[in-house]
Amino acid sequence: QVQLVESGGGLVQAGGSLRLSCAASGRAFSADNMGWFRQAPGKEREFVAGISGSGSSTHYVDSVKGRFTISRDNAKNTVYLQMNSLKPEDTAVYYCAAARGITWTFDYWGQGTQVNVSS
């Protein structure tokens, strides 16, 4: 089993920034595609960003392109989500997720970290 632990959430004003971290253990981290998802109150969980095992490929939902950056440090078994120019609609619980190797089907999930953006 894979264990994922998110941190870095909090309350910020619109236009501010936050950096989320996800510490992973239990698998060959560098071989696994990783992603960030979010779930706003009353909404379905949605994909936010993804990154390949080597970090060479990244993917973003259109609403965060140009504002969010996903990255990873395989030596530290950690994935990051840098969030800039935050908007109230970014308010959600953010979840880290891991796929099995090179697939984009996410099988392992963290507990989530709350991000609140005030207007």
Side-chain angles (χ1 to χ4, degrees):
Q1 186 75 300
V2 173
Q3 183 178 12
L4 305 171
V5 180
E6 303 98 331
S7 62
L11 174 64
V12 298
Q13 293 181 327
S17 298
L18 282 174
R19 186 197 192 207
L20 306 183
S21 297
C22 172
S25 63
R27 284 177 59 86
F29 177 78
S30 64
D32 291 342
N33 291 338
M34 301 289 294
W36 287 96
F37 293 72
R38 66 187 180 187
Q39 187 168 21
K43 305 294 184 181
E44 297 293 320
R45 186 176 298 185
E46 69 168 343
F47 172 83
V48 177
I51 187 167
S52 62
S54 69
S56 62
S57 298
T58 58
H59 307 272
Y60 300 92
V61 67
D62 286 345
S63 61
V64 309
K65 288 180 179 178
R67 300 189 297 120
F68 291 11
T69 303
I70 187 171
S71 62
R72 66 193 297 160
D73 185 340
N74 287 343
K76 297 181 179 179
N77 289 350
T78 302
V79 178
Y80 305 96
L81 186 67
Q82 179 67 47
M83 304 185 294
N84 298 326
S85 301
L86 283 162
K87 304 174 180 179
E89 54 261 44
D90 296 319
T91 294
V93 177
Y94 283 72
Y95 298 90
C96 179
R100 291 182 178 270
I102 64 172
T103 77
W104 290 104
T105 299
F106 293 92
D107 298 313
Y108 309 103
W109 298 83
Q111 83 289 347
T113 186
Q114 179 71 51
V115 172
N116 289 311
V117 184
S118 64
S119 60

